[in-house]
Amino acid sequence: MGYRILADATVVVHFAFLGYVVFGGFPAWRHPRMIWPHLLAAAWGLAIVVTAVDCPLTVLENWAREQGGQRQLTHGFIDTYFQGVVYPARYTRLLQLLAAGCVLVSWSVPMRRRLEARRAGDPHPGRPHHGHS
């Protein structure tokens, strides 16, 4: 039973991670330093989509399922839990492009602020200023 709980928990973490990949850049509008972990997560998400590398969360879920006497996923996480369930498979490319667009939009404000700060001569854009005015 413990392995089944681990498999289910992995699914929850996987959903959360996917949400973070798509929407995790928006908190950087308020907290600029949050862009860096999101950049890494988005890069990993992109690598999973464009290469044949297995996501460690899918590997963990499959291992836990096998240990708990359940069938492993026959396809990847997105193919299993999203394609054909949340949306028809024929919309996969469109949804990938929309997700990428969401990531790029989320990065637009922090990057614009960073460029404006550099133009204004701020050597540390996004950091609070503690000097005297």
Side-chain angles (χ1 to χ4, degrees):
M1 179 158 156
Y3 290 111
R4 290 179 181 196
I5 292 171
L6 177 60
D8 291 343
T10 304
V11 170
V12 170
V13 170
H14 217 151
F15 273 108
F17 181 75
L18 283 176
Y20 180 68
V21 166
V22 176
F23 301 109
F26 289 105
W29 290 19
R30 186 162 176 89
H31 306 285
R33 290 185 181 154
M34 291 182 75
I35 198 72
W36 300 111
H38 185 254
L39 177 69
L40 294 173
W44 178 253
L46 179 64
I48 294 294
V49 170
V50 300
T51 68
V53 67
D54 289 331
C55 177
L57 290 170
T58 303
V59 172
L60 176 61
E61 180 185 351
N62 278 331
W63 176 82
R65 284 173 162 278
E66 184 177 47
Q67 298 303 310
Q70 296 176 306
R71 288 185 307 123
Q72 292 188 357
L73 301 180
T74 55
H75 301 291
F77 180 82
I78 291 174
D79 298 338
T80 300
Y81 295 107
F82 287 92
Q83 265 184 7
V85 177
V86 176
Y87 61 86
R90 68 180 178 269
Y91 294 123
T92 298
R93 182 62 61 201
L94 173 64
L95 290 171
Q96 288 172 337
L97 293 171
L98 288 172
C102 191
V103 170
L104 293 175
V105 166
S106 77
W107 290 350
S108 67
V109 169
M111 291 301 132
R112 182 184 47 112
R113 288 180 183 160
R114 189 172 187 85
L115 289 171
E116 288 172 355
R118 282 197 175 154
R119 285 187 200 125
D122 183 353
H124 303 290
R127 291 188 186 172
H129 296 282
H130 298 295
H132 298 287
S133 298

